[in-house]
Amino acid sequence: MVDVTLEQAVDLLLQKTEETSQTEELPLLAAVGRVCAEDIAAPMDNPPFARSPLDGYALQASCTRGAGERNPAVFKIIGEVCAGDFFAGKAAAGEAVRIMTGAPIPAGCDCVVRQESVSLDTAGRLCVPCELRVHEAYCFKGEDIACGEKILYKNEILHAVQLGVLASMGFKQVKVWRQPRVAICSTGDELVLPGAQLAPGKIYNSNLYTLAGRFRELGCPAPMVGMLPDDAALMMKNIRKIYNEVDLLITTGGVSVGKKDIMHPVVKGLLAQRLFWRVKMKPGAPAMAYTCGKMLGIALSGNPFASLTTFELLVRPVLARMSHHPQLACTRGRAVLVDDFLKESRSRRFVRAVHEDGKIYLPGRNASGMLLSAAGCNALIDIPAGTQALHSGDVVEVVYL
Ligand code: AMP
Ligand code: MG
């Protein structure tokens, strides 16, 4: 298909995108940001025993009935228990155990009185000047997590709290979905890697860094990264080498209609199935997608802002599907434009912007070959085809990045 809408392009991509069925077990800290691949039930109670939430004395509440400032209830202190210890005995009526925060409540006790509320008499006995209720200052066994309760759901993102919950249950590993295996390759005879000398006519390769950085930011680190000249045969050779080991290949450059736009002969030469070429949008219109075996290829325009925009709009939905992680796709909303955008948009246009508190700001310079003004932008304005101009105060459609 040629000249598809963005929505058609995403549909065509998703038709060829499979959620991974492969999992891996990771140590907890290696799993932060990953997607849990199974439902998990609590194998135990937490806390595993009833415990004291404060420093004080554990005793039987019924022994404080009628107690007051003038006639405190008096207890014999029979021992002491700290967090990490266990009081082996049992308190009878009229007996109390000194207890620290986090220590197990001794047998025979059903409440705790805080240390600041009591005093000791000259005989060293505990004086409690008030009535206590059963289970006052008392943390129940399993009050955080009850044994058997669902603690984690399949496809839940493992944030810090989820890792803490798993740790509190004694798990040191967790099963997560395997991440997509991604390769990025930029093409262009003009490209030079940073660090090398620039000969006349050459430019430094920025796309590789922007896109590989974006993958990392989205939690899909260390994709295979390469750079090739405008040489179709070489590109085919490289794709043949990797297509069995890679789920997704992102290339930049070489998809337009110029003499050196090699991705067309590459797709033909590989006998790959082209899904679409050209998306009705600006920037990034020449984007193309194809499948080569099980590998999905997305060929993006080489212009730095075009490749970034199409990464957000075309690649992220694919990543989200592959990794069972819907939040990896961009969300949309509406916001009030603060600045004017006076350029006419004959085709649908995406403009870099800063979104804050429902307002949307334009950074000024805005062309597909310009990258710097995209720094700090966190949104794209989605301007429909045929829009004359946008003015301050207009409500616009926004893609949040
Ligand atoms: P292309 O899509 O190959 O026609 O390239 C479009 C424009 O983007 C040209 O000006 C290229 O020099 C530039 N360009 C292509 N690839 C890169 C890259 N990796 N980094 C920076 N600029 C690039
Ligand atoms: Mg090129």
Side-chain angles (χ1 to χ4, degrees):
M1 287 227 267
V2 287
D3 295 313
V4 295
T5 64
L6 173 61
E7 288 70 20
Q8 286 170 325
V10 170
D11 272 355
L12 288 164
L13 287 168
L14 292 182
Q15 279 169 28
K16 297 290 180 188
T17 303
E18 279 178 29
E19 293 182 327
T20 183
S21 56
Q22 293 175 28
T23 60
E24 57 185 327
E25 291 269 349
L26 290 182
L28 290 191
L29 279 183
V32 66
R34 297 290 294 271
V35 186
C36 183
E38 60 184 352
D39 290 336
I40 302 177
M44 57 178 273
D45 284 318
N46 197 44
F49 46 82
R51 69 186 175 195
S52 175
L54 43 82
D55 298 319
Y57 294 84
L59 42 87
Q60 268 173 42
S62 60
C63 301
T64 61
R65 197 155 308 138
E69 291 288 349
R70 300 229 177 109
N71 57 327
V74 177
F75 294 82
K76 180 181 175 205
I77 299 170
I78 59 167
E80 184 178 281
V81 60
C82 294
D85 290 344
F86 179 76
F87 186 76
K90 179 171 178 186
E95 293 181 337
V97 178
R98 186 161 188 229
I99 192 165
M100 308 308 149
T101 306
I105 308 249
C109 302
D110 58 17
C111 72
V112 174
V113 59
R114 81 168 50 241
Q115 186 163 309
E116 294 85 332
S117 308
V118 297
S119 56
L120 299 183
D121 67 12
T122 49
R125 291 177 310 172
L126 176 71
C127 302
V128 179
C130 53
E131 288 194 347
L132 298 170
R133 282 172 287 111
V134 173
H135 296 150
E136 195 163 334
Y138 184 105
C139 294
F140 290 90
K141 171 181 172 168
E143 73 173 11
D144 179 9
I145 300 171
C147 184
E149 183 178 349
K150 190 74 82 64
I151 53 166
L152 218 77
Y153 290 84
K154 188 169 167 172
N155 295 344
E156 191 172 339
I157 312 303
L158 294 163
H159 297 294
V161 171
Q162 281 81 353
L163 298 182
V165 166
L166 286 169
S168 76
M169 292 284 104
F171 291 107
K172 60 181 217 183
Q173 302 208 118
V174 59
K175 190 187 275 185
V176 297
W177 296 114
R178 173 174 72 59
Q179 286 183 305
R181 295 162 304 183
V182 179
I184 308 178
C185 182
S186 50
T187 70
D189 286 343
E190 72 277 37
L191 301 177
V192 171
L193 284 178
Q197 277 289 324
L198 270 193
K202 306 289 184 190
I203 59 168
Y204 286 118
N205 182 346
S206 64
N207 291 348
L208 216 46
Y209 293 83
T210 313
L211 298 190
R214 210 62 194 103
F215 272 108
R216 285 193 184 206
E217 285 181 333
L218 295 171
C220 189
M224 285 162 48
V225 169
M227 179 170 95
L228 291 176
D230 292 316
D231 179 336
L234 201 53
M235 177 58 98
M236 287 200 292
K237 192 173 150 201
N238 276 275
I239 293 181
R240 285 203 183 99
K241 250 195 271 174
I242 62 163
Y243 78 93
N244 274 323
E245 290 140 44
V246 163
D247 302 307
L248 178 64
L249 168 64
I250 306 301
T251 57
T252 68
V255 273
S256 195
V257 292
K259 182 176 160 195
K260 295 265 182 137
D261 286 330
I262 59 163
M263 290 311 291
H264 307 291
V266 163
V267 166
K268 280 211 185 79
L270 288 169
L271 303 177
Q273 185 196 354
R274 195 176 78 181
L275 305 178
F276 62 80
W277 175 44
R278 289 203 304 245
V279 182
K280 289 189 223 166
M281 60 177 275
K282 254 182 146 180
M288 178 170 72
Y290 55 94
T291 53
C292 179
K294 287 195 143 188
M295 185 189 84
L296 181 60
I298 307 181
L300 306 176
S301 156
N303 273 308
F305 188 68
S307 65
L308 180 57
T309 302
T310 42
F311 174 88
E312 306 289 350
L313 298 174
L314 295 173
V315 179
R316 281 179 63 176
V318 169
L319 268 188
R321 167 76 60 88
M322 281 182 172
S323 44
H324 299 258
H325 194 333
Q327 287 111 296
L328 287 188
C330 302
T331 54
R332 285 177 166 268
R334 292 170 80 73
V336 179
L337 190 61
V338 173
D339 305 300
D340 291 331
F341 183 76
L342 299 176
K343 224 191 251 178
E344 185 189 353
S345 300
R346 260 180 254 149
S347 53
R348 181 176 182 182
R349 188 199 292 276
F350 289 89
V351 177
R352 67 196 82 187
V354 177
H355 175 260
E356 207 183 313
D357 295 335
K359 295 208 173 70
I360 196 105
Y361 304 83
L362 296 172
R365 276 187 283 185
N366 164 57
S368 64
M370 291 184 178
L371 190 56
L372 178 60
S373 65
C377 287
N378 58 3
L380 296 167
I381 307 178
D382 184 353
I383 306 177
T387 304
Q388 280 301 320
L390 293 172
H391 296 102
S392 171
D394 287 352
V395 175
V396 291
E397 174 87 12
V398 178
V399 179
Y400 305 112
L401 306 179

